[in-house]
Amino acid sequence: MSENEQNERYKAGMAVRRQVLGDAHVDRATAQMTEFDSDFQTFITEGAWGSVWSRPGFTKRERSIVTIALLAALGQDDEVAMHVRATRNTGATKEDIKEALLHVAVYAGVPAANHAIKIVKKTFAEMEANPEPQK
């Protein structure tokens, strides 16, 4: 891949990352970036956001649902909470997440789903206490 293609993928990824996670989150992540993790931040911006999240096959809502289910199955607590907060921007609903976590229970195990449900409930409570979208 040429440097120009990488630069375009980074720009596209950063735009999608901001749409999904919100400017405040991305600005915090960027401000905390160091020489140690700058390559990683570039990788996730280009790879996750510029390649996968930018594809036309799923809507952002659908990607959000799948992402939350996968993160719940893997026990990635902080990432589950982050992507639940991002539903303000993706359009995934509480009902969508509830259904996704039922799938997690069947296919990844009840303990994984139970743990994720606790995180999701806490995150929704925090979101309801602070209803301002993450733009």
Side-chain angles (χ1 to χ4, degrees), residues 13 17 39-51:
R17 191 176 179 188
D39 289 339
F40 175 75
Q41 290 293 324
T42 298
F43 170 75
I44 62 173
T45 300
E46 291 175 354
W49 301 106
S51 292

Side-chain angles (χ1 to χ4, degrees), residues 51-86:
S51 292
V52 176
W53 274 83
S54 296
R55 293 177 54 81
F58 275 177
T59 64
K60 285 183 179 56
R61 175 184 159 266
E62 291 165 330
R63 287 191 195 286
S64 186
I65 296 165
V66 169
T67 300
I68 290 168
L70 289 166
L71 292 169
L74 292 168
Q76 298 298 312
D77 301 359
D78 292 340
E79 295 282 323
V80 168
M82 178 181 71
H83 279 278
V84 168
R85 287 188 298 273

